[in-house]
Amino acid sequence: MTHPQPAIDTANPLLAEWTGAFGLPPFEAIKPAHFRPAFDKALAAHRAEIDAISANQDVPSFANTIEALEKSGKALDRVSNVFFTLTGADTGDEIEAIERAVSPLLARHGNTLHLNAKLYARIADLHGRRETLGLNAEQARVLDRYRTRFVRAGAALDKPVQDRFAAINERLASLGTAFGQNVLADEKAYALMLEEGDLAGLPDFARAAARAAAEERGAPGKYAITLARSSCESFLQFSARRDLREKVFQAWIKRGENGGTTDNRAPIAEMVSLRAERAKLLGFASYADYRLDDQMAKTPQAARDLLDEVWGRGRVKANAERDSLQAMIAQDGGNFALAAWDWRYYAEKLRKARYDLDEAEIKPYFQLDKMIEAAFETARRLFGLRFTLARVPLYHADARAWEVTDEAGRHVGLFIGDYFARGSKHSGAWMTALRDQEKLGRNQAEWEPVSRPDCAQIQELGARSDAKPVPTFADRAPIEVRPVILNVCNFSKPAAGEQALLSFDDARTLFHEFGHGLHGLLSNVTYPLLAGTSVSSDFVELPSQLYEHWLEVPEILQKYALHVRSGEPMPKALLDRLLATRTYGYGFATVEYTACALVDLDLHSLAEPGALDVGAFERKSLERIHMPAEIVMRHRLPHFQHLFSGGGYAAGYYSYMWSEVLDADAFEAFEETGDVFDPATAKLLRDFIYSAGNLRDPAEAYKAFRGRLPAVDALLKKRGLDRAAAEPVIS
Ligand SMILES: [Zn+2]
């Protein structure tokens, strides 16, 4: 579908004032054709602001340089935030075409900012005089982060080197966009269409989800298994048809590796080589060295040490699991060796046999809406937050919004949950922001409807009581901007009128993303650079993974795990059995994840990747660590979006494990008090982690919360790996 080219400027809803509730973008008025002109204008506006700052004849000061930079780029933030919300959660041919055109422009824009010699000279000058500037702690941190960021982006390099650096950045941006679009194309292209007779083993919820997926694909009455994780994983777990499991599994692990225009192997080889070259220009031995230098881990070796410790134990446990599954096959009368597409199926059978517990029995107790309430209730008990459904227009009918308030009824932010899989959404689950928290009040000129009586709808705390004549933008005191935070997931959408049901893993994902959401919502900083989740990637998973622990708290489950038909809480015996099997299958999960983290580090530690054969590299890297033959990486390289769709986790996939050391230890802080909602511990957690953004170095922030740095013990205990070497059989 195409839209006529609209008139731009103020007629462009992306550039006009956003006067609706909560200052949300007017989604219903925004059409794909608005984005390109809005980007062009916003980029030009930001360039003009940067030029003015760098050309300033006054002696550099924190206000005329750092604070001015922090206040710049407003329109660009707004347009980008809306655009990238859509590219992830509700894309299509038009948006994808714009994304391909815009991503190199944004990379070029980043280059003009970070490679601006006059600007960097001002920042370096300020940094050299930082002790004499009278800065408070937050300002000192912002200045330090600016300098680090500019240096790491090539600001201190010679001009000819900078030119090469800039070209690399642009090329990487285009490749990253292509990578994500290729994965989505492969996912959209595939559906295994089944008839009633092909569904042996599938429980009701999986049949209903497959039926709804077929209907969405224009085949009512049939059943579709798609490559969305919740669709194909539950098929692999339950389908008694070994031939069909193999088909689905092969399609799943081949995403991005199917030849033709969507094959990602060539883009990966080019990206790895460009990243290595860029790291070298900055004086680092490899991309991994460059990347980790600014992380909590500091060096690839530190990350490896942790992964190696976990890998050995995880592999022993996974191999024991494999032997048990093979025995199960024999017991079942099967005469074949366990294959990767059998693992989930027999693991589920074995769980049922050992613990009298199966996913189909558990799932009716995990209603999506009840789990959302459970996540909200946890936030109320820890942080005093309340959530009220807000009926506001959003970008898709499946997305819902809640206003978040504190104990005193003050506005905290807006939370948007977009939970269902669809063809227009990228796979995975993530948190993002339509607006970040800050206190510089830089948004006001654009979206405060100053002359209107309904301005109280615009939810900045300071704006409401101000009924005096409106001052000019420059005169205004800083006003706090409160955040708008999204969680995007890919749970199977139920048929009309049915409740969506989650697996226990899905529920954990929901809590995980909600933990990230709180990191954004509770943010309490002045400078946007430091807001919310803008911390190092091996620290950013602490708030999310820590939050998962509260899903397993019995009082939360008793209250919110209610049967979809009867409304009855989960029987105590079932709940006990569920919690008793908490670490069941963790050998598999540990191997599936850790292999990815190790291959990622291997790949990005190459000093001279040369003409890389991606498939061969992956195989060799897995051979080196003796990957069990029956387990496939959770994300194989050709669809490893964490590494290549943008690159947020390139040489950084170890972050989940690194953060898990922190989250396991952090939850023990609550357990040690005897109250998993202990108010004093929750206050420390809020003050130093959830609301603190990037105010402190991550190790310092953790010590401020816990009084010390964590050891690996709590993690090993959490994963059931502490006894693994001594007791190599799952129990
Ligand atoms: Zn996360």
Side-chain angles (χ1 to χ4, degrees), residues 99 175-181 183 271 275 426 639-649:
E99 188 185 9
L175 289 166
T177 299
F179 186 95
Q181 293 188 354
V183 175
M271 287 173 97
R275 283 172 178 164
H426 283 245
H639 48 258
F640 206 156
Q641 306 205 61
H642 296 76
L643 311 193
F644 303 112
S645 191
Y649 285 84

Side-chain angles (χ1 to χ4, degrees), residues 512-513 516 541 544 656:
H512 178 102
E513 297 309 330
H516 282 309
E541 301 300 331
S544 53
Y656 294 93

